[in-house]
Amino acid sequence: MGINWRNRVVPVAASALALLAATGCVSTPDGPTGPTAAPSASPARPVARVCADPAAGPAKAPAGAVPVDPAVVGDLAAKTRSNPANTTFWLRPGKHRLDPGLHAQVVPKKGNSYLGAPGAVLDGRKKNQYAFGGSARDVTLRHLTVQGFVAPHDEGVVNHDSADGWVIEHAKIQYNSGAGLMAGGRQRVRANCLRGNGQYGMNAYKASGRITGLVVEGNEIVGNNTGDWERRRKGCGCTGGVKFWAVDGADVRGNWVHDNRGAGLWADTNNNDFRIEDNVLEANDGAALIYETSYNAVIRKNTIRRNNWVEGRRYADRDDNFPFATVYLSEAGGEPRIRARTDKIEIYRNVLENNWNGITLWENADRFCNSPANTSTGDCTLLVRDADRCARPQIATAPLYADCRWKTQRVDIHDNRFVLDTSVVGCTVKCDRMAVLANYGTYPDWSPYQGERVAESITHKQRNRWHDNVYLGPWNFVAHDPSRVLDSGQWQGTPYQQDEGSTFQPQDGG
């Protein structure tokens, strides 16, 4: 799995220790509890400052709750085993520990609740891999700090086995290896601090089946991917604040996603029916948002600022002319045949301010089901379940010619405000672009998508449209392929006819 920026796999996440230090974000438990710098001021919405100011848990055990003693090693796991389902546990103030074994963990029973008193911490001491696991449904975790666990790559510390119906609220899940949190169906993740984890703040992945009905609301997701996994496994596509895999129905709202190494939010491979709204996506090293090989989304009323400075600049310094984007749609679009709350991708009423580039719509001509260039290995589109059907000669004819591709289509970008002050971003070229493009198809030799077919389709035939936007600053536009850089007049003119009803004020970005 993972992103394919061009006709090859290109790493998209990288280190930015200097940026983290500049904002006061650190990745050790001894550091400050949150960023010391305030978010930038322009058109702002309140941000979820839950790392610095978390809601306190109950100072006394609720009626009927089982108290858990931090002085007794393994007390939480032992009392979970000895009590029935639907029990509430109250963790006293102090540092709680599990038994020292690598796989020692709490295995809840259905309906259990775990409440932390003020100062209650479950600490893995870099000895335990997992905090909470097992298949029990409808478990609740509130007001608890979970830290110091060493989950392996692509695995998570809380809800390790992606059980359904969990509620995680007002928790700090921080300074762990792997992902701080996994996700199951109907999971509610609200008002948490997901900070400084080695790979992801949350990995919304289920080993079997799809995740449905996921809510991610009011969280602060900061400083994750401390392990810099793209450097360690080039092209893995396995980093960022939150990664979503095969999620069908998600509401991601009101979060402050900032200062993550790599992308802020990344939906990768057969996600569908997302609403991403009212978030502040800020100062992430890479893209604020990647929506890849996925379907049907509404992206609205977000404040997106100062993203992609590290990764965008790196490729510009290499004289790479690809428009590395802050909001990046890669083989992702609207599909009416797949049930969702919308049948397109609609991006509207967002403010994008002083990012490295704007929105790029991209389609890799060589990436399709059964192609060796498909980095989502073994996966096919939601329209063709069996990738082996996407083979010659039938792939060259309907319906497989269309259905074997993830298409960037039916994207509607309107009523957004795009602000660029190059003196703030610290650039003169290659940070100022909107784009709709594809590569020249060449691979494999039996591909029916060779040549400019895909570039022509994404640019002119797949109902991708910008209109009624406001541009402040020196914006340029890329259409068809990376070599076609246009000014606003060319972008609005024939044959592209984009941004009808939009206004352009190139001197007003700063």
Side-chain angles (χ1 to χ4, degrees):
M1 297 181 183
I3 203 160
N4 212 348
W5 284 102
R6 320 273 301 272
N7 55 0
R8 55 188 170 86
V9 178
V10 179
V12 297
S15 172
L17 293 177
L19 182 59
L20 288 174
T23 56
C25 299
V26 295
S27 59
T28 63
D30 297 325
T33 58
T36 57
S40 56
S42 117
R45 63 183 78 255
V47 294
R49 297 179 178 275
V50 292
C51 291
D53 188 23
K60 295 182 180 180
V66 176
V68 181
D69 187 352
V72 179
V73 173
D75 195 40
L76 179 60
K79 286 179 175 173
T80 296
R81 288 191 297 269
S82 63
N83 282 277
N86 299 303
T87 297
T88 295
F89 300 88
W90 177 71
L91 284 74
R92 297 181 185 274
K95 188 170 288 188
H96 296 255
R97 296 161 292 166
L98 302 175
D99 291 333
L102 187 66
H103 300 290
Q105 60 190 286
V106 180
V107 181
K109 296 173 183 174
K110 184 178 185 298
N112 280 1
S113 294
Y114 298 86
L115 306 179
V121 177
L122 181 60
D123 195 336
R125 298 173 293 161
K126 303 298 182 184
K127 294 181 179 180
N128 310 118
Q129 288 189 336
Y130 315 121
F132 293 89
S135 59
R137 297 184 173 216
D138 304 328
V139 172
T140 297
L141 181 73
R142 290 190 175 102
H143 304 292
L144 182 63
T145 295
V146 180
Q147 65 184 34
F149 288 82
V150 286
H153 182 260
D154 287 340
E155 297 186 39
V157 169
V158 174
N159 197 10
H160 167 258
D161 298 293
S162 302
D164 293 340
W166 283 41
V167 176
I168 300 98
E169 294 179 329
H170 307 296
K172 285 186 178 181
I173 303 174
Q174 60 185 14
Y175 313 131
N176 303 287
S177 299
L181 174 64
M182 301 297 287
R186 299 179 290 102
Q187 184 158 297
R188 303 292 186 264
V189 182
R190 294 192 178 106
N192 302 287
C193 171
L194 306 180
R195 172 173 56 183
N197 295 290
Q199 189 179 1
Y200 306 113
M202 183 174 74
N203 185 10
Y205 170 78
K206 197 175 181 71
S208 60
R210 293 170 65 76
I211 294 172
T212 60
L214 178 63
V215 174
V216 182
E217 181 177 16
N219 304 283
E220 184 174 352
I221 302 164
V222 53
N224 295 289
N225 186 28
T226 60
D228 198 6
W229 279 97
E230 285 288 348
R231 178 183 56 80
R232 297 164 66 177
R233 298 187 181 182
K234 289 188 180 298
C236 72
C238 60
T239 59
V242 180
K243 195 72 178 283
F244 303 90
W245 314 81
V247 174
D248 190 4
D251 290 279
V252 183
R253 58 180 175 249
N255 303 284
W256 186 18
V257 184
H258 65 106
D259 295 287
N260 294 285
R261 181 180 285 161
L265 303 174
W266 189 343
D268 183 358
T269 308
N270 286 338
N271 298 279
N272 175 52
D273 195 13
F274 271 52
R275 286 189 176 176
I276 301 170
E277 57 191 356
D278 294 314
N279 302 285
V280 176
L281 310 177
E282 181 169 33
N284 298 289
D285 286 5
L289 170 64
I290 301 173
Y291 205 69
E292 178 184 4
T293 53
S294 294
Y295 303 91
N296 299 327
V298 173
I299 302 165
R300 64 186 177 189
K301 298 188 290 182
N302 301 285
T303 298
I304 302 171
R305 54 198 177 201
R306 298 188 294 112
N307 296 282
N308 203 28
W309 287 15
V310 174
E311 294 184 9
R313 192 183 313 277
R314 175 177 296 115
Y315 289 103
D317 288 346
R318 295 176 184 175
D319 203 29
D320 194 320
N321 68 345
F322 188 83
F324 295 97
T326 287
V327 175
Y328 181 64
L329 272 59
S330 175
E331 293 92 20
E335 176 49 73
R337 290 175 290 174
I338 297 173
R339 185 175 179 179
R341 290 168 287 183
T342 182
D343 61 3
K344 58 185 177 180
I345 293 182
E346 190 172 13
I347 304 174
Y348 69 100
R349 292 182 61 191
N350 303 284
V351 174
L352 281 78
E353 179 187 1
N354 291 330
N355 302 285
W356 194 282
N357 290 325
I359 299 172
T360 288
L361 310 186
W362 161 253
E363 201 169 320
N364 181 354
D366 300 329
R367 186 181 189 183
F368 53 91
C369 302
N370 214 24
S371 168
N374 177 22
T375 54
S376 295
T377 306
D379 286 291
C380 195
T381 70
L382 293 180
L383 301 172
V384 182
R385 300 290 181 171
D386 182 4
D388 290 340
R389 293 179 58 205
C390 297
R392 59 183 174 185
Q394 58 267 36
I395 192 174
T397 59
L400 292 181
Y401 179 82
D403 291 353
C404 288
R405 292 194 62 80
W406 291 274
K407 289 184 178 181
T408 304
Q409 65 178 8
R410 299 173 61 86
V411 181
D412 189 6
I413 302 168
H414 65 93
D415 293 289
N416 301 285
R417 181 180 177 89
F418 301 115
V419 181
L420 177 64
D421 184 342
T422 55
S423 69
V424 172
V425 180
C427 67
T428 55
V429 294
K430 297 181 180 175
C431 64
D432 55 359
R433 293 170 292 176
M434 299 280 168
V436 53
L437 76 166
N439 59 313
Y440 190 90
T442 62
Y443 180 78
D445 60 6
W446 53 270
S447 168
Y449 311 110
Q450 295 186 20
E452 296 186 349
R453 295 181 181 185
V454 174
E456 286 293 312
S457 292
I458 189 174
T459 306
H460 300 297
K461 301 175 183 178
Q462 292 180 181
R463 299 177 63 182
N464 297 316
R465 185 174 176 232
W466 278 256
H467 62 97
D468 297 298
N469 298 294
V470 172
Y471 292 87
L472 304 179
W475 288 95
N476 288 295
F477 304 86
V478 179
H480 190 275
D481 63 77
S483 68
R484 299 191 189 182
V485 181
L486 315 172
D487 62 28
S488 59
Q490 293 168 317
W491 175 246
Q492 288 186 299
T494 304
Y496 307 108
Q497 297 182 322
Q498 291 289 0
D499 265 314
E500 181 182 1
S502 297
T503 62
F504 301 85
Q505 301 177 52
Q507 305 304 317
D508 291 344

